[in-house]
Amino acid sequence: MLASPYISAILAKEFKSDFRNPYVLAGAGLFLLSSLFVCYITVKRISAPALWVALYWIIVLFASFNTVAKSFQQEQRGRLLYWYTLVSPSHFIIAKMLYHGILMLLLSVVAVMIYSLLFEMPVDDVLIFWASVILGSTGIAFTLSLLSSIAAKAGNNLTLLAILGLPVLLPLMIVNTTLMKNAIDGLDWSVQWKYITVLGGLNIVSFALSMVLFPYLWRE
Amino acid sequence: MRLNTGFKIGAIILVFYTLIAGFLIEVPALDILNESIRNLFFHVTSWFAMIFLFIASFVYSIRHLSSGLEKHDLLAKVFAQVGIVFGIGGMLTGMLWAQFTWGRFWVPDPKLNGAAIAMLAYLAYIVLRNSLRDKMQRGRVSAVYNIFAFVMMVLFVFILPRMTDSLHPGNGGNPGFGGYDLDNTMKMVFYPSVIGWILLGLWISEVKIRLEQLTESES
């Protein structure tokens, strides 16, 4: 199912429309950059790893609402009906989740680079650190894809997306911030593997749940 | 949904039994806990009632998705609302207990965080419902959110306390109910009070459902 030509076609369409109108994506990137800089100006220096990790994920989380919300905002009602005649709902949501996953990966990798430029923090376990960045951002993307299609039904309200998303994302955030903090402190893999499995599990569960539930949103 | 009279009388008797016996029976005198152990009859049992109501809401959300009946959507909504009321009750009684045994109203503990997150998610569910106008759409969209949030909450509640230590009774070597601090006289009140609060929750839900159906048919 994942290798369906429909999915790659929708993905290609998303990236093409981003390429044609890059200002939307650029806006999301600029939002990230500005909030990073606001934090830099106000906080100046961070010495505690826990605080460093918390601030990073708060910035990425709030940037992600903007990034993910925009994709469903662009889909007008007419175009959704057009999609409806072309593809199956599971293909559609999988493509959307993959698209958001790639965007969020890009966003969080750029964010971590700029962020560690501004706030210095020696990382002990680099491999697990990047695993945390990757799994955290894809988890956010998968979860928010379904929720942003819900918020789109209620008139594309960004506040609504935030209040729907935050409580559902908190479990992921708690596991992920612990994982990343432990990676900075260089804890042993025997401690870390269970956080990684839980994080991977949350990714899979939110992906699968969205696939199961989206067809019900699709029908109208 | 219509509850019969025996059910209601049962609810009244059990709740009053909990209130009277819960404050009057002999409880084991334990260090630190002292009389605050009586909170077992109010705090733990209102969480049980809340969990029962949220599961009911989840089940009716699934049934609504498969049947499309408006009635199932109404039931899911009302059970969630009444569940929130019990959740707030459980949270307040828990905070009071924590102040006198732990010394703080709120501590950063996985169980407490889980409870707070669940409350946030269900409040978001209510906000979502009210921001959708079309009735069919509201039912379907909010059912999807209810199912999604419930599954994530369940995962969270099961996974997280096993990964981090918790101060809460029943975790990390702390005695829970059912441990040595629950003697037989306490069980005599505890089990009836669980049933009593659940029955009361169902009764409140029933009244609310009938009220909503009446206002619906009025307009």
Side-chain angles (χ1 to χ4, degrees), chain A residues 159-217:
Chain A
T159 319
L160 190 64
L161 178 61
I163 60 164
L164 292 178
L166 284 173
V168 178
L169 281 172
L170 274 172
L172 187 110
M173 279 294 139
I174 292 173
V175 178
N176 195 20
T177 46
T178 319
L179 177 73
M180 199 187 231
K181 192 181 104 22
N182 290 350
I184 291 174
D185 290 338
L187 257 65
D188 196 61
W189 279 55
S190 59
V191 187
Q192 294 283 62
W193 74 264
K194 66 175 175 183
Y195 291 104
I196 293 199
T197 39
V198 168
L199 205 55
L202 282 173
N203 268 288
I204 295 167
V205 167
S206 55
F207 195 93
L209 259 183
S210 305
M211 263 175 68
V212 173
L213 290 174
F214 185 73
Y216 294 100
L217 289 175

Side-chain angles (χ1 to χ4, degrees), chain A residues 22-35:
Chain A
Y23 302 106
V24 188
L25 257 192
L30 198 57
F31 179 86
L32 177 80
L33 205 63
S34 317
S35 42

Side-chain angles (χ1 to χ4, degrees), chain A residues 143 146-147 150 153-154 160 163-164 167-168 170-171 174-175 194-195 198 202 205-206 209-210 213 216-217 219-220, chain B residues 65 113 117 120-121 124 127-128 131-132 137 140-141 144-145 147-149 151-153 155-156 159-160 162-164:
Chain A
T143 311
L146 183 80
L147 297 182
I150 288 178
K153 301 270 177 199
L160 190 64
I163 60 164
L164 292 178
V168 178
L170 274 172
I174 292 173
V175 178
K194 66 175 175 183
Y195 291 104
V198 168
L202 282 173
V205 167
S206 55
L209 259 183
S210 305
L213 290 174
Y216 294 100
L217 289 175
R219 247 193 282 148
E220 239 189 300
Chain B
L65 282 188
N113 288 339
I117 294 168
L120 286 178
V127 171
L128 172 66
S131 54
L132 291 159
Q137 195 188 41
R140 198 142 5 87
V141 171
V144 167
Y145 182 68
I147 295 167
F148 193 74
V151 174
M152 294 309 246
M153 293 301 134
L155 281 178
F156 183 61
I159 294 166
L160 211 77
R162 282 170 180 72
M163 295 180 55
T164 42

Side-chain angles (χ1 to χ4, degrees), chain A residues 28-45:
Chain A
L30 198 57
F31 179 86
L32 177 80
L33 205 63
S34 317
S35 42
L36 275 169
F37 210 70
V38 167
C39 289
Y40 179 58
I41 298 288
T42 48
V43 183
K44 293 186 189 81
R45 226 185 348 266

Side-chain angles (χ1 to χ4, degrees), chain A residues 50-84:
Chain A
L51 199 64
W52 193 89
V53 172
L55 194 63
Y56 171 73
W57 282 110
I58 289 172
I59 293 169
V60 170
L61 193 59
F62 280 87
S64 72
F65 289 125
N66 278 302
T67 317
V68 175
K70 81 161 190 59
S71 147
F72 275 95
Q73 261 165 18
Q74 287 169 343
E75 307 280 1
Q76 300 98 348
R77 225 187 110 73
R79 199 192 293 161
L80 275 177
L81 280 174
Y82 180 56
W83 281 124
Y84 186 77

